[in-house]
Amino acid sequence: MCLSIPSKVVKIDKKANVATLDTMGIKRDASLALMEDGAVEIGDYVLLHIGFIMNKIDEVSALESLETYKEILEIMDREENKTIGEGS
Amino acid sequence: MNLKNLYDDFRDGETIKTFAKIIQKDSKKLKRSINIMEVCGGHTHTIMRYGLKQLLPKNINFIHGPGCPVCIIPKERIDHAYILSLQKDVILVSLGDMIKVPASHGSLQDARANGADVRFIYSPLDCLKIAIENPKKKIIFFAIGFETTTPMTAVLLEMVIKQNIKNLFFHINHITVPEVMGVLLDDPTNKIDAFLAPSHVSVISGAKIYEIFPKKYNRPVVVSGFEPVDVMESISMLVKQFIENRCELEIEYKRAVDFEGNVKAQKIIAKYFKTRDFFKWRGLGNVAKSGLKLKNRYKKYDIEFIYKDLLPLTEVKDHKLCICGDILKGIATPLECKIFGKSCTPSSPVGACMVSSEGACSAYFKYDFI
């Protein structure tokens, strides 16, 4: 019920206040009624919930998170290799 | 970044395993076991689906919370939907989750089999088309959901008013999350040490609604995304809070949640809704200030007002073997239920926790816990 789907904005109909979204290959329309005028642009990533865009996904934060995970993985790999090296 | 990154990368197996290793290492420094309540049924499903419990050390436990808006609706209110659907010239409309929830006389699916016009929709806006195409019928929208879903009902009402639609009405069962979290903590027998907070609720309301839990209740909170990497990162953040003696509100789901939330959505909720003094939650009883209803000036759209003589208020008890109430309170798991997987299954549910896509029982059943 509270599940919401990350989607990409591919078209905006300002008159109808509706955006067309790409949700992993499926195109859907979503209402912009909960977003401020002009806040959503083509190419934005948004959260879709029961036919409405409820928020934008902050691309910078998403990329920062993914970058952090990559760094954590590398640190973990180095520590594990060091331990294996010391054990041999 | 492309769309696939937002799915796949937050489900990456290597990242999940790395967080598991970090949690295993950090948890050795915990002074005692910790019990984390994941409030939202969506989080319960992620934990079950990806087997996250098996990746965690024995001193970290989950308590499943009542964050399933279909599960917590008391039977007497589901009976309202059933009764309304059987009225002459009524089309009862609700979101798909409601279809099989059993009530005193049966589910809405049963009502439909008995001749009721019951329709399940993807979006509240679908009600508009139904109302326009059926001018001689009364369209009643049985509205359910937490803060995530409430603004969409408000937009629907706004459109009904603007388009002067005379045959669309509302039965409001919207509820809010922080009050019930407080009620659970006020119970002296509770074992909750920390919360994984519902995040799509927070997209609308902002993380600010959870401030009270570290400040007044001394319980750390992490607002977590729904993907398995999000949940593991959030657990890691909570464990670090415990070992560092911190008690804070943190946001893991930074790509979607901030402190203030969607202010436009909050304003539209405030325009059309007011808080009920009490709302009954299945298994928990009355929770003060946790339910919403339409403001008095919109009562001509409020079917509880229009049909108040038809809709009974007497409490209806659950099936005597159904322990959904205890499961929603976090004091039992589905495995302790005598009828789980036997007479209560997704195809023949006895309790709402087995029906709803966010119910703990449906998660346990689906991901093979029998």
Side-chain angles (χ1 to χ4, degrees), chain B residues 110-139:
Chain B
D110 297 328
R112 192 154 66 176
N114 287 333
D117 192 343
V118 179
R119 304 194 195 180
F120 296 97
I121 51 173
Y122 157 68
S123 167
L125 296 179
D126 298 338
C127 293
L128 290 169
K129 188 163 181 279
I130 298 174
I132 291 165
E133 288 175 355
N134 295 276
K136 293 195 168 65
K137 304 272 188 176
K138 273 199 185 71
I139 312 318

Side-chain angles (χ1 to χ4, degrees), chain B residues 330-341:
Chain B
I331 61 174
T333 71
L335 299 177
E336 293 162 60
C337 176
K338 290 191 166 77
I339 55 174
F340 171 75

Side-chain angles (χ1 to χ4, degrees), chain B residues 14-83:
Chain B
E14 286 308 309
T15 315
I16 293 169
K17 279 191 230 164
T18 303
F19 275 116
K21 287 178 192 166
I22 293 171
I23 294 165
Q24 291 277 356
K25 189 172 155 202
D26 286 345
S27 67
K28 293 189 169 77
K29 299 176 202 158
L30 287 169
K31 297 188 181 92
R32 56 174 179 80
S33 293
I34 55 170
N35 299 317
I36 300 171
M37 173 172 273
E38 89 279 359
V39 179
C40 183
H43 283 138
T44 311
H45 274 250
T46 298
I47 290 164
M48 294 299 154
R49 181 175 176 185
Y50 292 93
L52 301 183
K53 178 80 180 91
Q54 285 83 302
L55 298 175
L56 297 177
K58 289 198 165 35
N59 57 353
I60 296 175
N61 300 302
F62 289 114
I63 301 178
H64 307 314
C68 169
V70 167
C71 304
I72 62 86
I73 299 179
K75 237 177 180 163
E76 52 268 25
R77 290 187 79 82
I78 314 278
D79 285 347
H80 287 185
Y82 190 94
I83 291 164

Side-chain angles (χ1 to χ4, degrees), chain A residues 1-8 17 22-25 28-29 31-37 45-59 61-66 68-70 72-73 76-77 79-80, chain B residues 1-7 9-10 12 14-15 18-19 21-22 25 42 69-70 95 97 122-125 144-146 148-149 151-152 155 200 203-204 226 229-230 233 252-256 262 264-265 268 357-358:
Chain A
M1 257 241 60
C2 283
L3 292 177
S4 177
I5 307 173
S7 306
K8 189 170 185 173
N17 208 23
D22 170 17
T23 313
M24 294 304 277
R28 295 176 198 254
D29 283 347
S31 170
L32 286 160
L34 297 176
M35 303 301 292
E36 297 291 357
D37 288 344
Y45 293 102
V46 294
L47 280 173
L48 168 65
H49 180 60
I50 57 169
F52 287 78
I53 292 173
M54 59 170 188
N55 205 1
K56 280 169 54 158
I57 295 172
D58 182 344
E59 211 175 320
S61 284
L63 285 166
E64 275 174 3
S65 291
L66 296 178
T68 305
Y69 302 152
K70 214 165 130 216
I72 294 174
L73 252 136
M76 188 59 76
D77 270 345
E79 277 184 13
E80 285 183 340
Chain B
M1 189 176 78
N2 60 48
L3 202 52
K4 218 164 168 293
N5 295 126
L6 288 170
Y7 289 88
D9 293 5
F10 289 95
D12 176 66
E14 286 308 309
T15 315
T18 303
F19 275 116
K21 287 178 192 166
I22 293 171
K25 189 172 155 202
V70 167
L95 298 178
D97 277 43
Y122 157 68
S123 167
L125 296 179
I144 55 174
F146 288 107
T148 324
T149 312
M152 291 80 181
V155 170
H200 290 141
V203 165
I204 299 296
F226 284 99
V229 166
D230 291 313
E233 183 176 19
E252 179 276 337
Y253 195 26
K254 289 196 174 68
R255 61 195 186 275
N262 182 331
K264 187 173 181 188
I268 199 170
S357 57
E358 286 176 301

Side-chain angles (χ1 to χ4, degrees), chain B residues 146-167:
Chain B
F146 288 107
E147 291 94 324
T148 324
T149 312
T150 308
M152 291 80 181
T153 303
V155 170
L156 174 62
L157 176 55
E158 189 154 88
M159 289 186 171
V160 164
I161 296 168
K162 277 200 174 116
Q163 295 178 34
N164 202 25
I165 292 173
K166 303 271 188 220
N167 61 333

